[in-house]
Amino acid sequence: MKIAAITIRRKPVPGSPIRTNTGNYMFTEAAYRNIAGDISWIGFNFDPDKINAEYDHVIMPAANWIDRGEALDGLVRLLKRIELPITCIGLGAQAASAGADPASLKLSQGAIDLTKILTERCKHISVRGEFTRKVLAHLGCHNTVVTGCPSLYMDLPKDVDAPPSEDLILQGTRYVMSPQYLRKPSLDRTIFSIAGKASMDIIFQSERLEISLFDGSMGDDWAGDATKAGLPELYGKSTAAELEAYLRAHGKVFTSIDDWSGFLKSRAGVIGTRLHGAILALNSGVRATLLAHDSRTHELIDFAKIPTGDPDLLLDAHRNTVRLPDDIDAQVGAFVERREANRVVYAQLLEANGLTYRRSLPDR
């Protein structure tokens, strides 16, 4: 079967800046590895007539696109011209809390139109959790099945060449940086602060200023830009030079899932607000704790039993220390058990849509 994948690229173009949240590589790669067939990348700007003529099926690994800000009009126009079966995997709604009333959400017209076309064109839509299912039902979409994110079902090698260190890795969530960010206390601000003050390793996924040190896009006046944005203060550093030294020693950016997994296995565990960072660790046999902060993280923690805990108990901003929950091993066991049960449902959904799930490890 020839399958066209509406996704980001599996890896960035060599030498180009990283333009996406690197966590997106996790659920994108999962689709390539776990769906049988000849899968080709077509991106988000494709010729529908060419796709109709050359392929048998279209898959669309999705993110939390049902929100107030996603620009989806162009994608909707192209999907309307697709005549092939479409399978959307892992579609999510976005809100501040999973307890939000679906009727109160101010969704973009693009998100509403995408829901409508997927309702019409997909036999069954894979959604991330119960909150998303309720939001789509409010929009008139009822052909949904809760399967979580496809990243949950991507197996990764769990062998470790050497015993891991006792160090934990931090992961925060930030898309923009400005002096205003420093004025409002937040869970993620605490994570970045502890990382810098305690000189802990931290993995970046969407933090543009930090990532620019690693992807070749650092501007001529990075220090000036960082200082103007308040980045040294965020990490508890006196100068941009001090911050740069910390980031180069402890900051990590990955665009290869296997390299990312390999690094995680050298540490004792992961803690933070990054969903795919936590799932990648758990799938690699590494303990991880996801700190819930919005509807997306809440619903996936509930559905997949991803280990979690109270940030006030696990992060100590006064001592600049972090720890995993006392019951982390029991939580990891519950996650693994739930993942295997959910894997059956995910495979059944793909089969019902005319696709075949395969359980596979990457080439070694």
Side-chain angles (χ1 to χ4, degrees):
M1 177 184 288
K2 293 192 65 176
I3 302 171
I6 301 175
T7 67
I8 62 169
R9 292 182 181 273
R10 295 179 77 172
K11 292 183 179 180
V13 176
S16 65
I18 296 171
R19 300 294 189 188
T20 185
N21 173 354
T22 59
N24 292 345
Y25 292 116
M26 180 64 176
F27 69 82
T28 296
E29 186 68 16
Y32 285 99
R33 295 188 186 185
N34 291 134
I35 295 177
D38 180 9
I39 304 178
S40 299
W41 173 81
I42 62 170
F44 292 87
N45 185 19
F46 51 86
D47 179 353
D49 294 333
K50 180 179 175 64
I51 303 307
N52 290 332
E54 298 182 4
Y55 292 89
D56 305 304
H57 203 112
V58 172
I59 61 171
M60 188 168 65
N64 48 316
W65 293 344
I66 309 303
D67 71 356
R68 63 187 302 170
E70 285 289 348
L72 299 166
D73 296 349
L75 176 60
V76 170
R77 285 194 296 270
L78 293 175
L79 289 176
K80 286 180 178 179
R81 295 173 56 193
I82 292 293
E83 299 170 357
L84 305 173
I86 299 173
T87 297
C88 182
I89 307 167
L91 183 64
Q94 181 71 43
S97 167
D101 179 1
S104 70
L105 300 184
K106 299 183 183 300
L107 302 176
S108 70
Q109 188 59 49
I112 295 171
D113 291 342
L114 178 66
T115 300
K116 184 176 186 297
I117 190 68
L118 292 178
T119 302
E120 297 171 352
R121 301 301 308 282
C122 296
K123 187 172 183 180
H124 302 287
I125 302 171
S126 153
V127 299
R128 293 195 170 198
E130 283 298 323
F131 176 73
T132 297
R133 186 188 64 77
K134 292 176 182 178
V135 171
L136 294 186
H138 175 71
L139 296 175
C141 174
H142 301 283
N143 53 327
T144 57
V145 178
V146 178
T147 64
C149 180
S151 61
L152 290 164
Y153 312 111
M154 184 170 69
D155 298 301
L156 292 163
K158 298 177 177 61
D159 55 304
V160 179
D161 295 331
S165 73
E166 296 182 356
D167 296 330
L168 297 178
I169 303 166
L170 281 171
Q171 298 179 138
T173 303
R174 200 189 75 248
Y175 292 89
V176 295
M177 183 64 209
S178 68
Q180 288 75 24
Y181 183 85
L182 298 169
R183 297 173 189 161
K184 185 177 179 181
S186 68
L187 171 57
D188 286 297
R189 204 187 81 175
T190 297
I191 289 172
F192 292 116
S193 176
I194 291 176
K197 292 176 181 177
S199 294
M200 293 184 65
D201 287 344
I202 184 167
I203 296 176
F204 300 118
Q205 290 184 202
S206 60
E207 293 73 24
R208 185 66 252 151
L209 266 174
E210 292 93 318
I211 290 174
S212 68
L213 283 173
F214 302 96
D215 70 358
S217 65
M218 183 175 66
D220 293 336
D221 190 22
W222 183 88
D225 291 342
T227 300
K228 183 178 179 181
L231 202 63
E233 183 179 350
L234 176 63
Y235 287 92
K237 304 301 181 183
S238 301
T239 65
E242 184 182 348
L243 171 62
E244 181 174 347
Y246 160 73
L247 293 177
R248 292 196 181 279
H250 295 280
K252 311 294 178 183
V253 180
F254 296 98
T255 57
S256 162
I257 296 303
D258 297 318
D259 291 347
W260 192 342
S261 173
F263 172 73
L264 294 177
K265 289 184 288 189
S266 71
R267 300 294 190 271
V270 174
I271 183 170
T273 57
R274 284 294 188 179
L275 170 67
H276 291 107
I279 293 174
L280 204 158
L282 292 164
N283 287 3
S284 303
V286 178
R287 298 183 299 174
T289 298
L290 176 61
L291 304 176
H293 61 99
D294 59 8
S295 65
R296 180 179 57 111
T297 46
H298 274 289
E299 70 174 349
L300 275 160
I301 286 171
D302 290 343
F303 172 75
K305 286 192 175 296
I306 298 171
T308 190
D310 184 345
D312 291 336
L313 299 178
L314 304 180
L315 308 179
D316 189 330
H318 298 290
R319 296 184 176 88
N320 294 312
T321 59
V322 301
R323 65 181 181 86
L324 298 176
D326 293 337
D327 64 344
I328 183 61
D329 291 330
Q331 288 200 60
V332 170
F335 166 81
V336 172
E337 182 178 354
R338 175 65 66 86
R339 180 179 58 192
E340 295 313 304
N342 289 340
R343 192 194 300 269
V344 174
V345 177
Y346 182 56
Q348 290 173 339
L349 175 135
L350 294 178
E351 182 178 355
N353 281 7
L355 298 170
T356 301
Y357 172 80
R358 64 181 178 190
R359 184 168 183 165
S360 62
L361 291 172
D363 295 334
R364 301 305 303 276

